[in-house]
Amino acid sequence: MIIQRVVLNSRPGKNGVPVAENFRLEQSTIADTVQAGQVRVKTLYLSVDPYMRCRMNEDTGSDYLQPWQLSEVADGGGIGVVEESKHHNLAKGDFVTSFTWPWQTAAILDGDLLQKLVPQLVNGRLSYFLGAAGITGLTALLGIREKGHVATGANQTMVVSGAAGACGSLAGQIGRLEGCSRVVGIAGTDEKCSILVQEMGFDAAINYKKGDVAKQLRELCPGGVDVYFDNVGGDISDTVISQMNQNSHIILCGQISQYNKDVPYPPPLPPDTEKIQKERNITRERFLVLNYMDKQEASVLQLCQWIQEGKLKVRETVVEGLANIGAAFQSMMNGGNIGKQIVLVSK
């Protein structure tokens, strides 16, 4: 059977900025027959995520992320529909997902490694299982619950950097739902800031490309910052940390400003910022959602309930066509999208 697939064409280098040309679309084939325990699936949606930047390097800098190999098919979160099955628990027409879905139009996969999806849980919006009701939503929810120490009635202020991105846009809303009394986002355009406030219920948003971020933070968070959901690292995080309260908490979700630099993860703080962190007893611990998979099922159901009730607003940036996944990756790394970056492979 003839298929299309996307392979890693070249590496940008540890300090390089990824471009669409780092990926290559090519024609390939898969077997015509399905073996026992396998299913043949048609790919519907693929997820494009910031962590994938690390997989473009020969050394990902992580013990849980494997590098993509040159001229080999890339993979990540994906959703598809079963077209043929020799697996006891999966039938033709079932919708399924995997964290290691190959970037190709169709595939033969081990049925044991697939999770069956129930579209009704997300009002039929299957792609949400890659974002708000998937690993992205889990990262936001479990990050806040496990590392944020949010308590209803504690009058806590949360700041979210990268707030218009896939995880940040959910984290601010979840912070509110979990009990924060004030939520402030930091994003890169006026449009993103407007969406955060008017659509997603943030109290305020700062365009870090305009004006004095430290001054705006002091005005918008007069009582200081109690919880910081950190998606970006770098200068923005140093500014936020300087205004954090005693015994406050950093949820170390991502450091996208550092992904094109040859630095360890999490990157060390500058001496002055590290001094503030230690003097104020601010927690800053590496957070990996895969360490909390025992809480996955209940957490996904909570996310789905919020979606169904309209309490969790979801934004997606959808690019059509497998051939455009490289461009979608480049756009995401440049901060050009709002919410989750999704590639629609087939309808």
Side-chain angles (χ1 to χ4, degrees):
M1 179 178 176
I2 298 173
I3 62 164
Q4 287 186 315
R5 68 176 192 171
V6 170
V7 303
L8 185 65
N9 187 50
S10 59
R11 300 190 191 277
K14 281 205 168 185
N15 299 309
V17 178
V19 294
E21 291 72 26
N22 291 133
F23 299 96
R24 182 177 76 245
L25 181 72
E26 63 181 29
Q27 190 170 285
S28 186
T29 59
I30 59 174
D32 292 323
T33 56
V34 175
Q35 303 299 318
Q38 295 181 329
V39 296
R40 177 167 54 85
V41 293
K42 179 173 74 172
T43 303
L44 301 178
Y45 299 100
L46 293 172
S47 177
V48 180
D49 301 286
Y51 82 86
M52 293 174 171
R53 172 63 184 87
C54 304
R55 301 191 68 189
M56 299 181 80
N57 300 330
E58 286 186 80
D59 178 7
T60 66
S62 166
D63 54 4
Y64 67 92
L65 286 179
Q66 295 300 311
W68 287 328
Q69 300 300 321
L70 289 171
S71 295
E72 296 293 332
V73 65
D75 68 293
I79 290 172
V81 60
V82 176
E83 294 193 313
E84 183 182 352
S85 176
K86 288 188 178 177
H87 187 273
H88 64 91
N89 197 39
L90 296 172
K92 182 178 180 180
D94 283 346
F95 295 106
V96 290
T97 188
S98 167
F99 292 137
T100 56
W101 198 284
W103 287 8
Q104 53 194 53
T105 51
I108 293 177
L109 303 175
D110 181 346
D112 287 341
L113 303 180
L114 299 173
Q115 181 181 354
K116 193 187 300 186
L117 300 175
V118 181
Q120 292 84 352
L121 289 176
V122 288
N123 301 324
R125 298 293 297 271
L126 272 173
S127 58
Y128 283 11
F129 284 115
L130 293 178
I135 195 72
T136 310
L138 285 171
T139 300
L141 177 57
L142 291 171
I144 288 168
R145 286 183 171 176
E146 300 297 328
K147 300 295 184 180
H149 303 276
V150 173
T152 301
N155 197 32
Q156 292 163 299
T157 294
M158 172 186 279
V159 171
V160 183
S161 58
C167 199
S169 60
L170 299 171
Q173 298 179 74
I174 291 171
R176 171 83 76 200
L177 290 165
E178 289 289 286
C180 284
S181 59
R182 185 164 182 78
V183 178
V184 176
I186 302 175
T189 69
D190 289 343
E191 179 195 9
K192 290 178 178 179
C193 289
S194 177
I195 288 170
L196 291 175
V197 174
Q198 296 180 14
E199 189 175 307
M200 297 185 171
F202 284 61
D203 292 284
I206 297 169
N207 181 348
Y208 70 87
K209 296 180 181 178
K210 286 185 174 182
D212 186 331
V213 174
K215 180 175 181 289
Q216 293 178 76
L217 267 177
R218 283 192 294 272
E219 292 172 351
L220 295 171
C221 308
V225 178
D226 302 294
V227 184
Y228 173 38
F229 199 99
D230 184 6
N231 285 303
V232 301
D235 294 341
I236 294 293
S237 289
D238 296 339
T239 301
V240 176
I241 293 169
S242 72
Q243 298 190 33
M244 294 187 73
N245 293 324
Q246 195 75 22
N247 302 319
S248 54
H249 305 282
I250 299 169
I251 302 164
L252 193 59
C253 179
Q255 302 281 278
I256 196 168
S257 72
Q258 308 298 304
Y259 284 171
N260 297 324
K261 300 177 183 178
D262 188 8
V263 295
Y265 184 86
L269 295 171
D272 288 348
T273 306
E274 185 178 21
K275 183 181 178 183
I276 290 171
Q277 182 206 349
K278 290 181 177 178
E279 287 178 347
R280 299 181 191 172
N281 193 34
I282 302 169
T283 64
R284 182 181 184 257
E285 302 165 338
R286 187 173 183 173
F287 170 70
L288 180 60
V289 70
L290 298 178
N291 291 338
Y292 301 93
M293 284 297 97
D294 59 317
K295 301 180 180 181
Q296 176 186 6
E297 186 176 353
S299 299
V300 168
L301 289 174
Q302 174 65 85
L303 292 163
C304 290
Q305 181 181 337
W306 282 336
I307 291 169
Q308 290 174 339
E309 293 172 349
K311 293 179 179 178
L312 196 59
K313 304 294 193 302
V314 182
R315 271 272 188 158
E316 293 179 325
T317 300
V318 180
V319 173
E320 293 195 23
L322 184 62
N324 295 316
I325 199 167
F329 190 92
Q330 179 178 339
S331 175
M332 176 203 62
M333 290 303 300
N334 289 334
N337 58 301
I338 297 174
K340 181 73 176 180
Q341 180 75 71
I342 298 287
V343 174
L344 172 60
V345 178
S346 179
K347 294 181 180 179

